[in-house]
């Protein structure tokens, strides 16, 4: 059973989870060869006045009730749509990829409340993630450039219908480290809920003001049912890194783990495994701050951080290590990935390697990846199937 089947209205506080002995929990750890490319599809064109997927394609989440994805559109407008997933096609010809159909058009999932996570902040706020829970849609958010450190809210709760008259609760502040929780989300498989302290995971990483962000993937467990009831304290910090304890040797170094060009955009926890997989992109070359020309970066020409060349990347963590943090046997910044690997996608044209997020369908064992700017400004959705052991 997954999140959407847990309850009809999800208006009650969930009971404690049944404990599962470590010996009975799945032990399999996934590696690069366990993810097999299946195919891709295109997003619909959308409309005008910001109702387009151009320069969007972030914060994706799977909805099992409709075999669909919730996903944000143009980055400047932060609108959310629901799209039906078409049959996947494995082709390097963009014209042969099927086009998804709108189930719900691009709309403001927070009904105008997004700025309330940080009132007075002139730099804008972003939708960080979506999570389907029964008939509710949980929306996370973060301040893009929170130089003053004034963000206070992280999550909203609304009906799955994106209608403007649907009630929106929030923003709620999930956990005490709001800069670590307002991004990507995913479900926790039932056999891991007691060990990790929640039915879902939420986290964030690597935004503009790194002094307030995790220096590597961050994740906390929580119970969506309790969040719906307004309980924002039942959160367990399982993984984060600080400037004193970064993932890897440091933020301005050349290394395979983390630097100031790294972005972690999605997380999935496949069933019948012990693997928590973070998806994002990373600069593997010498670190440099300046223009693309100054930093010899042909892929990203703007002023900022550079470490050309860039790669799509997975950071793979053993859930048992995070369970040790839950039991206070380890500190959240002492946990390291058991594996880190890079991967390729069709249609990468300029070497920038931007990803928008990841979502998991436990029924078909598919992981959906959003490739931003896959075709001009339009994102492309790709899928990998987990290779199951015989």
């Amino acid at each position: 059973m997954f999140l959407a089947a847990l309850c009809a209205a999800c208006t009650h506080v969930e009971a404690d989870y049944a404990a599962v002995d470590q010996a009975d929990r799945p032990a399999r750890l996934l590696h690069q060869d366990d993810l097999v490319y299946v195919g891709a599809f295109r997003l619909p064109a959308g409309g005008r006045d910001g109702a387009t997927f151009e320069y969007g394609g972030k914060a994706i989440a799977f909805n099992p009730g409709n075999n669909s994805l919730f996903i944000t559109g143009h980055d400047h407008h932060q609108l959310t749509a629901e799209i039906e997933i078409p049959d996947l096609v494995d082709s390097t010809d963009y014209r042969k990829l099927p086009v998804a159909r709108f189930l719900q058009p691009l709309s403001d999932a927070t009904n105008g409340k997004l700025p309330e996570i940080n009132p007075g902040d002139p730099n804008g706020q972003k939708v960080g993630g979506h999570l389907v829970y029964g008939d509710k849609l949980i929306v996370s958010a973060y301040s893009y450039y929170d130089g003053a450190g004034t963000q206070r809210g992280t999550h909203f709760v609304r009906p799955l219908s994106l209608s403007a008259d649907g009630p929106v609760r929030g923003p709620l502040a999930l956990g005490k480290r709001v800069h670590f929780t307002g991004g990507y989300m995913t479900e926790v498989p039932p056999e891991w809920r007691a060990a990790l302290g929640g039915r879902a995971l939420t986290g964030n990483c690597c935004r503009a003001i790194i002094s307030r962000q995790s220096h590597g993937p961050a994740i906390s467990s929580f119970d969506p049912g309790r969040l719906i009831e307004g309980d924002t304290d039942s959160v367990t910090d399982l993984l984060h890194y600080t400037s004193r304890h970064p993932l890897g040797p440091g933020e301005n170094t050349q290394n395979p783990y983390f630097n100031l060009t790294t972005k972690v955009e999605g997380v999935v926890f496949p069933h019948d495994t012990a693997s928590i997989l973070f998806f994002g992109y990373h600069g593997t070359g010498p670190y440099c701050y300046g223009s693309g020309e100054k930093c010899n970066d042909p892929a990203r020409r703007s002023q900022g951080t550079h470490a050309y060349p860039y790669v799509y990347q997975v950071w793979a963590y053993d859930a048992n290590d995070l369970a040790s943090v839950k039991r206070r046997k380890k500190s959240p910044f002492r946990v390291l990935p058991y594996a880190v690997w890079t991967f390729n996608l069709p249609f990468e044209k300029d070497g920038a390697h931007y990803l928008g997020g990841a979502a998991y369908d436990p029924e078909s064992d598919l992981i959906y990846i959003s490739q931003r700017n896959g075709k001009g400004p339009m994102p492309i959705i790709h899928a990998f199937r987990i290779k199951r052991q015989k």
Side-chain angles (χ1 to χ4, degrees):
M1 177 183 293
F2 39 83
L3 286 177
L6 287 173
C7 62
C10 294
T11 58
H12 62 282
V13 175
E14 297 294 339
D16 291 338
Y17 326 114
V20 178
D21 291 338
Q22 182 172 349
D24 296 326
R25 295 198 296 262
R28 183 189 180 194
L29 295 176
L30 299 175
H31 294 271
Q32 184 171 12
D33 291 345
D34 294 314
L35 274 61
V36 180
Y37 186 78
V38 177
F41 64 89
R42 293 184 278 168
L43 296 178
R48 297 178 296 176
D49 300 325
T52 172
F53 285 113
E54 292 185 353
Y55 305 105
K58 301 186 73 174
I60 67 174
F62 181 70
N63 180 10
N66 291 334
N67 188 40
S68 62
L69 295 175
F70 283 96
I71 184 170
T72 57
H74 196 295
D75 192 58
H76 289 174
H77 301 278
Q78 297 299 301
L79 303 179
T80 297
E82 184 182 10
I83 57 167
E84 188 177 48
I85 299 171
D87 292 336
L88 300 165
V89 171
D90 184 359
S91 176
T92 57
D93 186 343
Y94 181 75
R95 296 168 299 180
K96 293 182 179 180
L97 300 184
V99 180
R101 181 174 65 91
F102 276 110
L103 295 181
Q104 297 191 72
L106 284 155
S107 309
D108 183 354
T110 71
N111 286 6
K113 290 187 172 185
L114 183 58
E116 294 180 18
I117 69 168
N118 198 354
D121 178 13
N123 298 299
Q125 293 78 38
K126 307 286 187 182
V127 172
H130 299 96
L131 181 73
V132 175
Y133 185 74
D135 64 352
K136 302 296 184 186
L137 180 66
I138 298 174
V139 183
S140 60
Y142 63 93
S143 279
Y144 174 72
Y145 196 91
D146 189 15
T150 52
Q151 180 178 340
R152 294 295 178 263
T154 58
H155 286 69
F156 301 86
V157 179
R158 63 162 301 127
L160 287 177
S161 169
L162 297 175
S163 171
D165 59 2
V168 174
R169 181 169 187 176
L172 304 167
L174 191 54
K176 300 187 184 304
R177 295 175 176 264
V178 296
H179 296 92
F180 290 9
T181 60
Y184 40 76
M185 292 183 284
T186 195
E187 173 205 2
V188 175
E191 61 270 22
W192 286 100
R193 291 170 186 167
L196 298 185
R199 295 177 178 268
L201 302 174
T202 188
N204 210 351
C205 171
C206 329
R207 303 304 174 186
I209 305 297
I210 193 60
S211 61
R212 306 192 189 284
Q213 293 284 330
S214 178
H215 289 55
I219 208 78
S220 297
S221 63
F222 73 105
D223 189 322
R226 292 176 178 170
L227 179 67
I228 291 168
E229 292 294 319
D231 180 357
T232 59
D233 295 325
S234 300
V235 181
T236 302
D237 181 7
L238 299 174
L239 179 70
H240 72 257
Y241 303 92
T242 66
S243 58
R244 294 183 59 186
H245 301 283
L247 175 61
E251 62 188 33
N252 58 0
T253 64
Q254 182 177 3
N255 71 85
Y257 302 105
F258 169 82
N259 58 43
L260 290 182
T261 69
T262 304
K263 291 290 182 289
V264 179
E265 300 287 1
V267 64
V268 301
F269 194 165
H271 287 207
D272 300 318
T273 79
S275 290
I276 300 174
L277 305 180
F278 295 87
F279 288 81
Y281 50 95
H282 175 70
T284 63
Y287 175 79
C288 174
Y289 184 86
S291 66
E293 182 179 5
K294 172 189 173 183
C295 296
N296 297 313
D297 186 346
R300 304 180 185 180
R301 308 306 297 174
S302 60
Q303 181 79 8
T305 58
H306 300 267
Y308 180 83
Y310 304 98
V311 293
Y312 302 120
Q313 186 154 303
V314 174
W315 294 258
Y317 284 80
D318 187 338
N320 289 294
D321 290 334
L322 275 62
S324 295
V325 176
K326 166 69 166 54
R327 299 195 306 272
R328 300 186 179 181
K329 301 295 184 181
K330 280 187 178 181
S331 297
F333 51 79
R334 298 295 183 193
V335 178
L336 299 176
Y338 68 82
V340 172
W341 67 80
T342 64
F343 63 97
N344 297 315
L345 293 172
F347 308 107
E348 177 60 40
K349 66 182 188 310
D350 58 11
H353 287 84
Y354 292 121
L355 283 186
Y360 174 60
D361 172 7
E363 188 69 27
S364 62
D365 251 353
L366 288 175
I367 298 174
Y368 293 98
I369 306 295
S370 173
Q371 179 189 31
R372 300 186 69 200
N373 303 345
K375 180 65 174 178
M378 286 294 288
I380 299 174
I381 307 299
H382 300 265
F384 291 81
R385 177 167 278 113
I386 297 170
K387 185 190 302 181
R388 287 301 175 181
Q389 297 172 326
K390 297 180 179 179

